[in-house]
Amino acid sequence: MKYLPFERITYKTNLSEQEVLTRLSGFVEPKKFGLGRNYIKEYEGSIHNNSFEISKVIQYRNSFLPQINGRIQNENNGAQIQVTMSLHAFVFFFLIVWCSFAVIFFIGVSIRAIREKEISVELFLPLGMLLFVYALTMIGFKSESKQAKEYLRRSFDAEIVKE
């Protein structure tokens, strides 16, 4: 999963499930819509009984911002928090469509190159497009997920037991 815009992390903390939910409430506010949204807290989203769906509040554009889903489970001496970070569903769908067009373009250019028995610069254009969108996605996603992972670890006084 290291090379995909997707992460699963398990945190272990000495806090109880209720204490984890209380701390979540301290840095998560309900999602706001419309113009002039003023946020006070670092994250927005929703908190349910023992789960949450949040994303970081940012003042800049990043379509690859991780959507963070978590589940809290009580354990003997604390709680375990299982977190999944992934792309927004619409962004993921857009990337699939965009990459599909690039692959179709590559196939068409490859067929033409085989027929004409000559390799042109056009053959490498769709590969460059795919490489560019991959790099853009991974840089945008991983930089934010790394910050979120550390923020959650500190907020819950937890240790990461599984990545």
Side-chain angles (χ1 to χ4, degrees), residues 57-110:
V57 173
I58 57 175
Q59 303 300 321
Y60 49 90
R61 300 294 303 156
N62 183 353
S63 297
F64 309 109
L65 189 68
Q67 304 300 301
I68 305 168
N69 296 311
R71 181 171 280 325
I72 307 156
Q73 297 173 331
N74 262 333
E75 287 200 341
N76 305 0
N77 52 353
Q80 182 173 328
I81 306 151
Q82 295 174 329
V83 172
T84 303
M85 296 187 199
S86 59
L87 291 174
H88 190 281
F90 179 77
V91 173
F92 186 71
F93 175 75
F94 176 81
L95 286 173
I96 289 174
V97 170
W98 196 88
C99 289
S100 298
F101 280 118
V103 168
I104 290 169
F105 182 58
F106 176 71
I107 292 169
V109 171
S110 298

Side-chain angles (χ1 to χ4, degrees), residues 13-160:
T13 181
N14 292 328
L15 303 173
S16 70
E17 181 180 337
Q18 192 55 46
E19 289 172 316
V20 170
L21 290 169
T22 302
R23 289 201 181 184
L24 264 171
S25 298
F27 63 85
V28 176
E29 63 182 285
K31 204 169 205 134
K32 297 177 183 175
F33 299 96
L35 299 172
R37 302 177 296 182
N38 288 335
Y39 288 99
I40 298 167
K41 299 181 180 178
E42 294 87 355
Y43 285 80
E44 66 175 346
S46 58
I47 303 169
H48 310 291
N49 297 335
N50 65 340
S51 64
F52 55 93
E53 297 175 16
I54 61 175
S55 62
K56 186 177 177 187
V57 173
I58 57 175
Q59 303 300 321
Y60 49 90
R61 300 294 303 156
N62 183 353
S63 297
F64 309 109
L65 189 68
Q67 304 300 301
I68 305 168
N69 296 311
R71 181 171 280 325
I72 307 156
Q73 297 173 331
N74 262 333
E75 287 200 341
N76 305 0
N77 52 353
Q80 182 173 328
I81 306 151
Q82 295 174 329
V83 172
T84 303
M85 296 187 199
S86 59
L87 291 174
H88 190 281
F90 179 77
V91 173
F92 186 71
F93 175 75
F94 176 81
L95 286 173
I96 289 174
V97 170
W98 196 88
C99 289
S100 298
F101 280 118
V103 168
I104 290 169
F105 182 58
F106 176 71
I107 292 169
V109 171
S110 298
I111 290 171
R112 193 177 87 204
I114 291 169
R115 275 195 205 134
E116 295 176 1
K117 295 181 179 149
E118 81 176 48
I119 296 176
S120 67
V121 177
E122 286 179 346
L123 185 61
F124 299 102
L125 184 63
L127 295 177
M129 291 168 52
L130 289 170
L131 185 62
F132 174 74
V133 78
Y134 176 76
L136 190 66
T137 302
M138 293 306 290
I139 290 168
F141 180 84
K142 291 293 184 177
S143 65
E144 294 287 351
S145 71
K146 184 178 178 182
Q147 290 175 18
K149 190 184 323 181
E150 181 59 24
Y151 184 87
L152 293 174
R153 188 193 64 73
R154 281 192 325 258
S155 297
F156 300 135
D157 293 326
E159 63 178 284
I160 297 173

